[in-house]
Amino acid sequence: SQQGEEDPQALSIQEGENATMNCSYKTSINNLQWYRQNSGRGLVHLILIRSNEREKHSGRLRVTLDTSKKSSSLLITASRAADTASYFCATDAYNQGGKLIFGQGTELSVKP
Amino acid sequence: DTGVSQDPRHKITKRGQNVTFRCDPISEHNRLYWYRQTLGQGPEFLTYFQNEAQLEKSRLLSDRFSAERPKGSFSTLEIQRTEQGDSAMYLCASSLKGGRMNTEAFFGQGTRLTVV
């Protein structure tokens, strides 16, 4: 089974609103990464957050990590139509030998 | 272009035929991964290499799938006797592994396989 589980599976918002996606995982991690995928394309890396970090920012993106709850969230502020994509979390866990395991993703639709 | 490149981008094949995909990772990256993705799903791990050594192969992967990374550079993924269920996007990624920490993975655009 997948290590990461994203919630919600689908999210539809208006341009300018904030979008929050959550990821839960099962085992201790080295780091957790968020990726974006436009339809039919490859994945683009957004942010990597290490297990000893609690929050990271990159432009309009904010990622938090709560290792006690084994969860992470991705916040996109002031969303744009161009943010429409699928978003995946991926874990690099201690018992995974260094490979990344992906969740099922959140499909975000930002309406202009 | 110094990103991960995959070839071909699209492949249509008849059931029972063999296909081979190629991935050229970012040159200084020692880790190379293969994933498979079907519509509406997250990438599913297939196998990965550190340099030329294949470290792990998914238990979900049948014996019809084989991957190589000669000399720790490019990699090939071969599927023998293709089945319709093999239709998917095959993604390659590379990263730099140092100690217990792993850096972000960079993905290619994928090879979309259609088995008819």
Side-chain angles (χ1 to χ4, degrees), chain A residues 40-94:
Chain A
R41 308 294 297 274
L43 283 79
V44 174
H45 179 264
L46 297 176
I47 289 185
L48 180 153
I49 187 165
R50 303 193 190 283
S51 60
N52 60 352
E53 297 175 315
R54 292 297 166 258
E55 189 169 313
K56 261 188 131 170
H57 297 254
S58 176
R60 295 184 294 111
L61 306 181
R62 173 178 168 250
V63 167
T64 61
L65 179 65
D66 186 335
T67 53
S68 66
K69 294 182 180 178
K70 292 186 168 58
S71 67
S72 174
S73 67
L74 170 66
L75 168 68
I76 304 174
T77 59
S79 63
R80 305 166 182 167
D83 295 328
T84 295
S86 293
Y87 291 82
F88 296 92
C89 69
T91 54
D92 172 9
Y94 287 120

Side-chain angles (χ1 to χ4, degrees), chain A residues 37 41 94 97 99-100 104, chain B residues 35 37 41 48 100 109:
Chain A
Q37 185 179 38
R41 308 294 297 274
Y94 287 120
K99 65 181 181 287
L100 290 175
Q104 297 300 308
Chain B
Y35 289 85
Q37 187 179 28
Q41 300 296 311
Y48 78 117
R100 296 187 70 185
Q109 292 299 305

